[in-house]
């Protein structure tokens, strides 16, 4: 009999004996599972256990063996073919928090937090894996965790490790991995808040981000993301005026190239757009004398970008113009712009643009933005917005707040409302005061059910449709002819 077959039979005998022993100790029947490598197979065993706090949890064990017997060579736990974090063959001593709720058991918040932090520790370790896909998946998991919870103490203890991991992924990674790593750097600074720790993170990662931005061989989405997140990290972390001006100069060198593009659109326009928005964000924290210098330089040049083929560039230029006019009128109530009349004509054309060669979605988006820009430039007015989160309300009543809110909303995504309620640093930016002390029961009572949210959205849609229909021309309103 061949040796490989003998080894396979011997392994099968071991597994069979172990299966019989474990079958008597588990709650659920044995389940054959496939492991990441084609030469391996195994069985999944699960058992419901109870700890000292009378909390139940699932213990899942995978017993794996080789189909062919012998030692398998050149096999790593993560390769490029099976680099997903979910394909790991490991012992799991935790299960999804939702499984406890389904069984009617109350979830202990402290245990859930420890479970969550345990998962994050594993993801931090995976950021140093050899596989690019594994590192990217780990970065995505960390990004999701930091954008949905406040983890200041956890992050503070592992700040240096996280900073080194992010820097390594930025240097070693490509494309999407660099984009997620740059976003994670911003979330790390947001968790740490404005202080010495976040400033050290910025000083460590800023040179790496700048090198990616200037690297023409890097992918354009990665360069664009690094430009945006470098500006946001500087906005959050830096207290050094020199670092602020150097970062603004880096952004200025990028978007000013668009001044000489003769209205065309090229592959670098996305990078120039992000650089312009980052520069405008950093301008909001500059000294008034520096703001005046920038207004004198760019106010007469920015209108050139309004004729760009890229709709996003036109919108970014329009919003930046509105921001500069707001700053100029705050500094001088009698501010007068010599080229105001041709500028307002251009803005009116963009606010009522109906060219068929442009996409319908782009036209709608452009008209909506430039109506507000025209009001700001022509009359100095701003249409305020109200943001609701929990029991609180925040009014967006100027272009500075609108730009800042938009940048942070893009970073946090669906976690923006949670951070507005609980993140002290973010609340200080929008002058919301310290976070309200609300217990878990109050937060749960404040949560709106899906059906109630659907009914509220439907009612708002009907009211909005009725209000807009009054402004539309209808044939029935033409009248009678005599």
């Amino acid at each position: 009999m061949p040796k490989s077959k003998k080894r396979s039979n011997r392994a099968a005998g071991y597994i069979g004996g172990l299966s019989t022993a474990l079958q008597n100790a588990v709650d659920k029947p044995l389940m054959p599972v496939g492991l990441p490598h084609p030469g391996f197979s195994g069985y999944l065993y699960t058992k419901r256990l109870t700890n000292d706090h009378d909390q139940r949890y699932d213990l899942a064990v995978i017993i794996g063996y080789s189909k062919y017997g012998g030692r398998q060579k050149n096999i790593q736990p993560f390769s490029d073919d099976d680099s997903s974090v979910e394909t790991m063959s490991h012992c799991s001593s935790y299960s999804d928090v939702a499984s406890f709720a389904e069984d009617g058991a109350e979830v202990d918040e402290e245990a859930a937090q420890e479970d969550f932090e345990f998962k994050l520790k594993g993801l931090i370790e995976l950021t140093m894996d050899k596989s690019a896909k594994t590192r990217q998946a780990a970065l995505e998991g960390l990004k999701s965790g930091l954008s949905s919870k406040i983890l200041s103490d956890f992050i503070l203890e592992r700040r240096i490790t996280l900073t080194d991991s992010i820097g390594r992924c930025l240097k070693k990674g490509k494309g999407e991995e660099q984009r997620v790593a740059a976003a994670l750097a911003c979330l790390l600074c947001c968790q740490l808040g404005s202080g010495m720790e976040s400033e050290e993170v910025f000083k460590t990662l800023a040179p790496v981000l700048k090198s990616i931005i200037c690297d023409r061989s890097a992918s354009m989405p990665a360069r664009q993301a690094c430009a945006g997140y470098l500006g946001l990290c500087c906005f959050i972390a830096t207290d050094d005026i020199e670092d602020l001006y150097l970062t603004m100069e880096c952004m200025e060198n990028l978007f000013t190239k668009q001044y000489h593009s003769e209205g065309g659109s090229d592959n670098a326009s996305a990078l120039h757009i992000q650089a312009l928005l980052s520069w405008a964000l950093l301008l909001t924290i500059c000294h008034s004398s520096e703001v005046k210098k920038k207004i004198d330089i760019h106010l007469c040049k920015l209108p050139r970008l309004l004729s760009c083929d890229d709709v996003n560039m036109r919108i970014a230029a329009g919003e930046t113009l509105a921001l500069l006019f707001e700053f100029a009128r705050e500094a001088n109530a009698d501010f007068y712009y010599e080229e105001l009349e041709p500028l307002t004509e251009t803005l009116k054309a963009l606010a009522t643009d109906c060219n068929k060669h442009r996409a319908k979605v782009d036209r709608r988006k452009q008209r909506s933005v430039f109506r507000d820009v025209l009001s700001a430039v022509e009359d100095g007015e701003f249409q305020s917005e109200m943001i609701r989160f929990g029991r609180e309300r925040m009014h967006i009543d100027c272009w500075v707040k609108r730009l800042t809110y938009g940048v942070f909303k893009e970073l946090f995504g669906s976690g923006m409302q949670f951070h507005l309620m609980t993140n002290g640093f973010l609340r200080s930016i929008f002058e919301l005061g310290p976070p309200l002390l609300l217990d878990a029961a109050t937060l749960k009572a404040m949560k709106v059910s899906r059906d109630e949210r659907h009914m509220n959205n439907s009612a708002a849609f009907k009211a909005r449709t009725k209000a807009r229909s009054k402004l539309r021309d209808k044939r029935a309103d033409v009248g009678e002819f005599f």
Side-chain angles (χ1 to χ4, degrees):
M1 183 181 294
K3 290 184 178 180
S4 61
K5 192 169 183 181
K6 288 181 180 179
R7 290 172 180 168
S8 179
N9 291 339
R10 191 184 307 163
Y14 292 155
I15 295 298
L18 184 59
S19 301
T20 304
L22 288 178
Q23 181 66 60
N24 299 326
V26 298
D27 298 330
K28 298 181 182 179
L30 304 182
M31 181 185 302
V33 295
L35 297 181
H37 300 284
F40 282 80
S41 185
Y43 287 92
L44 173 66
Y45 304 89
T46 60
K47 181 171 180 61
R48 178 55 60 87
L49 302 176
T50 305
N51 61 13
D52 297 335
H53 301 284
D54 295 329
Q55 295 168 346
R56 290 180 292 176
Y57 61 95
D58 294 326
L59 175 67
V61 182
I62 296 177
I63 304 298
Y65 64 93
S66 172
K67 294 179 181 178
Y68 311 113
R71 183 184 298 274
Q72 299 295 319
K73 297 182 179 180
N74 299 327
I75 293 178
Q76 300 176 357
F78 288 97
S79 64
D80 291 336
D81 297 330
D82 59 283
S83 56
S84 174
V85 176
E86 289 81 9
T87 61
M88 290 177 59
S89 174
H90 67 293
C91 293
S92 173
S93 60
Y94 53 83
S95 60
D96 191 2
V97 178
S99 63
F100 301 128
E102 291 175 358
D103 295 334
E106 294 184 359
V107 181
D108 181 42
E109 292 183 8
E110 185 176 353
Q113 183 70 12
E114 291 178 358
D115 183 23
F116 185 76
E117 292 180 0
F118 178 74
K119 295 178 183 179
L120 291 182
K121 292 176 186 177
L123 292 174
I124 293 173
E125 293 179 0
L126 289 175
T127 58
M128 294 176 279
D129 196 85
K130 293 181 179 179
S131 170
K133 292 183 180 178
T134 302
R135 293 195 305 268
Q136 182 180 330
L139 291 170
E140 290 281 5
L142 288 170
K143 179 177 178 289
S144 176
L146 267 63
S147 61
S148 60
K149 284 183 176 291
I150 299 296
L151 302 163
S152 304
D153 295 335
F154 177 85
I155 295 298
L156 192 61
E157 294 175 359
R158 297 161 182 82
R159 171 178 56 86
I160 298 176
T161 304
L162 272 170
T163 305
D164 292 341
S165 298
I166 293 170
R168 190 180 297 109
C169 291
L170 287 171
K171 294 175 183 177
K172 191 176 180 180
K174 301 290 182 183
E176 188 67 15
E177 182 181 349
Q178 292 176 320
R179 185 192 68 80
V180 183
L184 185 60
C186 279
L187 289 169
L188 178 60
C189 291
C190 286
Q191 292 279 349
L192 294 171
S194 180
M196 183 176 62
E197 292 82 6
S198 60
E199 189 169 7
E200 289 179 359
V201 173
F202 172 75
K203 287 182 179 293
T204 303
L205 298 178
V208 185
L209 293 170
K210 288 181 181 179
S211 65
I212 296 173
I213 293 170
C214 300
D215 184 6
R216 293 180 179 272
S217 63
S219 68
M220 188 54 65
R223 296 176 68 190
Q224 179 185 355
C226 288
Y229 293 128
L230 174 62
L232 184 53
C233 281
C234 183
F235 177 86
I236 297 168
T238 187
D239 284 333
D240 190 349
I241 195 71
E242 185 177 353
D243 288 338
L244 174 61
Y245 290 164
L246 286 175
T247 306
M248 290 186 69
E249 183 181 357
C250 176
M251 300 302 163
E252 209 166 356
N253 292 335
L254 290 172
F255 75 82
T256 51
K257 296 177 181 178
Q258 198 72 28
Y259 290 158
H260 312 291
S261 64
E262 298 180 357
S265 177
D266 53 20
N267 295 331
S269 62
L271 175 61
H272 298 160
I273 293 167
Q274 203 61 57
L276 177 60
L277 293 175
S278 294
W279 177 84
L281 178 67
L282 294 177
L283 189 65
T284 62
I285 57 175
C286 286
H287 190 268
S288 57
S289 60
E290 185 68 18
V291 172
K292 186 178 184 304
K293 291 179 184 177
K294 298 301 182 184
I295 291 175
D296 294 338
I297 295 172
H298 293 285
L299 193 58
C300 59
K301 296 179 181 179
L302 275 172
R304 302 178 193 174
L305 304 184
L306 298 176
S307 59
C308 182
D309 292 339
D310 192 333
V311 62
N312 292 317
M313 175 58 80
R314 295 195 299 271
I315 290 174
E319 291 177 339
T320 307
L321 276 170
L323 181 70
L324 294 182
F325 270 90
E326 184 175 86
F327 282 142
R329 285 174 176 143
E330 285 179 358
N332 182 11
D334 299 327
F335 171 76
Y336 176 74
Y337 180 57
E338 294 180 357
E339 303 295 328
L340 182 62
E341 186 174 350
L343 176 59
T344 53
E345 291 297 327
T346 304
L347 294 176
K348 286 178 182 177
L350 292 171
T352 58
D353 186 14
C354 58
N355 290 329
K356 297 295 183 181
H357 69 276
R358 289 174 180 162
K360 187 175 181 180
V361 176
D362 291 346
R363 294 200 308 268
R364 184 184 298 114
K365 182 179 178 182
Q366 175 181 288
R367 288 196 295 263
S368 175
V369 172
F370 276 97
R371 282 195 292 267
D372 296 336
V373 173
L374 179 62
S375 299
V377 171
E378 196 172 27
D379 305 320
E381 297 178 355
F382 181 85
Q383 185 176 359
S384 62
E385 306 173 29
M386 184 174 64
I387 309 298
R388 300 181 181 182
F389 52 96
R391 294 186 174 182
E392 299 179 82
R393 304 290 184 269
M394 179 178 70
H395 291 277
I396 306 294
D397 54 3
C398 63
W399 284 96
V400 174
K401 279 189 176 181
R402 177 170 174 171
L403 174 63
T404 308
Y405 177 79
V407 172
F408 278 103
K409 185 179 179 182
E410 184 178 354
L411 175 66
F412 288 116
S414 59
M416 182 64 180
Q417 289 194 353
F418 176 80
H419 278 269
L420 281 174
M421 288 190 292
T422 57
N423 192 321
F425 167 72
L426 192 63
R427 292 176 66 89
S428 67
I429 292 176
F430 294 104
E431 301 176 349
L432 297 172
L436 301 180
L437 299 177
L438 300 174
D439 55 9
T442 306
L443 290 173
K444 186 176 181 180
M446 290 163 53
K447 189 174 181 180
V448 182
S449 65
R450 180 179 296 180
D451 293 338
E452 186 178 355
R453 187 166 61 249
H454 178 70
M455 292 176 62
N456 292 337
N457 291 338
S458 299
F461 176 77
K462 291 179 181 178
R464 186 168 59 250
T465 302
K466 290 180 180 179
R468 288 177 177 176
S469 64
K470 296 178 181 178
L471 304 176
R472 296 186 178 121
D473 293 332
K474 294 186 177 181
R475 295 182 180 179
D477 297 332
V478 173
E480 299 180 357
F481 293 90
F482 296 98

